[in-house]
């Protein structure tokens, strides 16, 4: 079983890095937001507007639970997923969790220029975004930091994650 799970705040680069890891290690890539959208035939934005955030959080828990049957994958989670209910415990049980740690300023720059629409920060100006991130991150950090591995910016690379995965699961290396 090789299950690599990337967690971190919105804009930390989970999906971009996850896709690269999956390609290099020949594993399927999953983005939980996209899977939830597919399953429910609605965008995350519409789920938030029509059903509310807490409903979205139940869909996230449901989704993690459904992954127990899947042997191998690289999963990029939604930014808030680890911070609700027992999700972080479930993620740690499921596979090896990697926290992509980034500073609020850097996240704000990345999010300000991002094309993806995110309901929680829609329409925010850059300064407002920095304070929003600082506030949320200080509440979320205690969850994120229970990841198996915490990666600083310079270590957030395919090779570091591949090496760590092989080190943690040497018997599972693909030839
Ligand atoms: C959220 C992050 C988003 C998405 C939703 C809520 C959050 O995922 O799940 O908009 O609470 O941080 P990304 O981290 O992929 O943007």
């Amino acid at each position: 079983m090789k299950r690599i799970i990337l967690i971190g705040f919105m804009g930390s680069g989970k999906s971009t890095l996850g896709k690269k890891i999956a390609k290099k290690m020949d594993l399927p890539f999953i983005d939980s937001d996209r899977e939830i959208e597919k399953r429910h035939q609605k965008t995350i934005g519409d789920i938030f507007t029509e059903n509310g955030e807490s409903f979205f959080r139940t869909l996230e828990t449901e989704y993690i639970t459904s992954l127990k049957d899947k042997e191998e994958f690289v999963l990029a989670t939604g930014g808030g997923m680890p911070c609700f209910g027992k999700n972080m415990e479930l993620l740690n049980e499921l596979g090896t969790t990697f926290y992509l740690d980034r500073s609020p300023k850097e996240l704000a720059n990345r999010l300000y220029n991002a094309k993806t629409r995110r309901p929680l920060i829609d329409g925010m100006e850059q300064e407002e975004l920095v304070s929003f991130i600082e506030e949320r991150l200080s509440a979320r950090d205690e969850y994120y930091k229970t990841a198996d591995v915490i990666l600083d910016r310079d270590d957030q690379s395919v090779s570091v994650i591949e090496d760590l995965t092989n080190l943690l699961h040497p018997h599972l290396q693909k030839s």
Side-chain angles (χ1 to χ4, degrees):
M1 244 172 352
K2 206 177 253 183
R3 294 161 165 176
I4 297 172
I5 301 169
L6 304 183
I7 65 164
F9 205 80
M10 289 179 268
S12 56
K14 302 172 294 268
S15 300
T16 310
L17 183 58
K19 279 181 199 157
K20 288 185 189 160
I21 298 166
K23 192 166 179 213
K24 176 79 198 310
M25 296 180 72
D26 193 21
L27 295 169
F29 171 72
I30 318 173
D31 180 316
S32 66
D33 285 340
R34 301 294 82 80
E35 291 305 314
I36 291 171
E37 286 180 332
K38 259 193 253 165
R39 279 188 180 195
H40 298 274
Q41 299 280 299
K42 268 188 198 181
T43 63
I44 302 292
D46 286 344
I47 298 174
F48 267 68
T49 321
E50 292 168 24
N51 311 94
E53 181 176 348
S54 56
F55 179 71
F56 173 67
R57 300 303 172 191
T58 64
L59 299 185
E60 288 192 306
T61 306
E62 212 175 88
Y63 185 66
I64 312 173
T65 313
S66 75
L67 287 175
K68 282 185 182 151
D69 302 327
K70 217 168 152 52
E71 288 283 308
E72 297 193 321
F73 54 80
V74 179
L75 168 70
T77 69
M81 182 196 269
C83 315
F84 289 83
K86 291 198 185 315
N87 290 354
M88 193 60 210
E89 271 171 55
L90 293 174
L91 291 170
N92 277 331
E93 277 164 24
L94 197 62
T96 311
T97 50
F98 293 87
Y99 171 37
L100 308 185
D101 198 0
R102 296 266 181 165
S103 75
K105 269 215 177 112
E106 199 186 353
L107 290 168
N109 284 336
R110 292 167 62 100
L111 286 168
Y112 197 66
N113 297 312
K115 290 188 188 76
T116 317
R117 287 198 56 214
R118 291 170 165 101
L120 291 174
I121 56 167
D122 238 8
M124 279 190 194
E125 285 305 321
Q126 206 156 357
E127 267 179 36
E128 192 186 349
L129 202 51
V130 178
S131 5
F132 171 86
I133 295 169
E134 280 169 348
E135 204 178 290
R136 284 284 164 127
L137 207 51
S138 69
R140 289 183 173 186
D141 241 22
E142 63 172 300
Y143 298 94
Y144 290 151
K145 294 217 161 133
T146 63
D148 294 314
V149 184
I150 298 171
L151 294 173
D152 288 339
R153 189 188 153 166
D154 294 343
D155 290 327
Q156 292 171 18
S157 68
V158 176
S159 57
V160 168
I161 293 183
E162 186 177 23
D163 288 351
L164 282 168
T165 304
N166 290 332
L167 206 76
L168 292 163
H169 306 287
H171 53 296
L172 298 171
Q173 276 190 54
K174 289 195 168 182
S175 53

